[in-house]
Amino acid sequence: AEMMLKMYAEGEMKVMYAVALHANPKAGQLWKTTTISKFGDYEQKASELWQVSKVEGKQALVENRNSSYGIIIAYLVDTTVTGDEIWKKGNVRKAWVGKKSEAPKEAEVMEVYKPEGGEEAQPPEKNYAETSEAFKDLEIAGRKWSGKKTTMKMNDGSFENTIWTAENGWFSGVLKMDYKMESGTMTQELTRVSSSAKPLLKWDGIKFEEEKKEEKKEGEKEGS
């Protein structure tokens, strides 16, 4: 954890420029998943938590904790950027890293990825088959969900995954994912959902709204 914090603080590692976020985020919304990986005789269990810790105007503070890393990454998300635009434009305006209950340190955000050839670039050849179907009243984490189940299989049979996505889920909305590979399997499932989560990091004295005082001053000078 200490090594990762140092690498983020010194800019050796950067925070992702986009995160999936649902419409109308509310402070306290929490979405926790548990992943079990099995490769040969080796089995590993890990959890990941996403939560909305604060909302101010058109910005939401999102905290992410992965049990494998031992640190928390926080994102200041522009909620006006939605849909596929978040991956094209980026929706993370600022980012921080820290340890639970401690004050965070600001981290650098990656540049938005630009595909070679720009938006007109041809997508890679499709080497898989995909099917989807609706599901209803699937009970996970103490609630019933409806949404879409999507299955993708590689043409060569090397990989297959099935994803259940909830219509009204938070963040990515993914309830469950099953992966089957030649080397093993991995299953991720929603294990906790809450509307009353408290911030993980200590945010006293840290402002989230973009400063606009300088813009006003410049306007006043121009008009004088």
Side-chain angles (χ1 to χ4, degrees):
E2 294 298 335
M3 182 180 294
M4 288 190 71
L5 285 175
K6 185 173 183 292
M7 292 175 75
Y8 275 115
E10 295 179 354
E12 292 182 46
M13 293 179 68
K14 296 184 179 183
V15 173
M16 187 63 182
Y17 59 81
V19 295
L21 184 63
H22 48 287
N24 301 315
K26 306 292 183 184
Q29 292 175 333
L30 176 149
W31 193 267
K32 182 180 179 181
T33 57
T34 299
T35 302
I36 298 176
S37 305
K38 295 180 180 180
F39 297 95
D41 296 328
Y42 179 72
E43 181 174 319
Q44 183 178 21
K45 186 176 182 180
S47 65
E48 184 168 25
L49 180 152
W50 289 90
Q51 68 178 56
V52 179
S53 297
K54 195 179 185 70
V55 176
E56 288 191 4
K58 302 295 184 181
Q59 298 183 121
L61 179 67
V62 173
E63 292 180 304
N64 171 232
R65 182 177 67 188
N66 188 307
S67 64
S68 301
Y69 301 151
I71 65 170
I72 294 158
I73 301 177
Y75 308 82
L76 185 63
V77 179
D78 181 349
T79 60
T80 66
V81 183
T82 59
D84 292 338
E85 292 298 302
I86 69 170
W87 307 108
K88 295 177 181 178
K89 298 180 179 180
N91 63 351
V92 176
R93 299 295 170 252
K94 292 181 73 174
W96 299 263
V97 293
K99 296 171 70 174
K100 188 177 180 181
S101 302
E102 295 182 4
K105 295 181 179 180
E106 193 165 343
E108 292 184 41
V109 179
M110 293 179 187
E111 293 292 325
V112 177
Y113 171 72
K114 302 290 185 184
E116 291 185 17
E119 294 186 7
E120 301 301 320
Q122 293 296 316
E125 183 180 350
K126 189 174 180 180
N127 58 350
Y128 61 89
E130 187 175 74
T131 60
S132 64
E133 61 181 293
F135 68 83
K136 187 176 182 181
D137 294 335
L138 176 64
E139 190 166 346
I140 291 182
R143 299 190 185 188
K144 289 185 177 180
W145 309 88
S146 297
K148 185 171 70 172
K149 172 185 173 183
T150 304
T151 299
M152 188 271 281
K153 296 181 181 180
M154 298 297 290
N155 294 340
D156 62 5
S158 62
F159 178 84
E160 176 182 337
N161 80 308
T162 303
I163 301 175
W164 289 259
T165 306
E167 292 173 351
N168 299 314
W170 296 336
F171 302 99
S172 65
V174 174
L175 299 171
K176 185 177 179 180
M177 292 193 291
D178 280 340
Y179 293 89
K180 295 179 182 178
M181 298 155 273
E182 293 177 345
S183 56
T185 63
M186 185 169 69
T187 299
Q188 181 189 94
E189 186 170 319
L190 179 69
T191 49
R192 183 186 168 203
V193 58
S194 171
S195 299
S196 56
K198 302 299 181 184
L200 298 171
L201 297 171
K202 188 176 179 181
W203 294 102
D204 297 348
I206 298 178
K207 294 183 179 181
F208 307 112
E209 292 273 35
E210 292 182 0
E211 294 288 344
K212 296 184 179 179
K213 293 180 181 179
E214 293 183 7
E215 293 178 8
K216 290 181 180 179
K217 287 180 180 179
E218 288 178 5
E220 288 172 3
K221 290 178 180 179
E222 289 173 3
S224 60

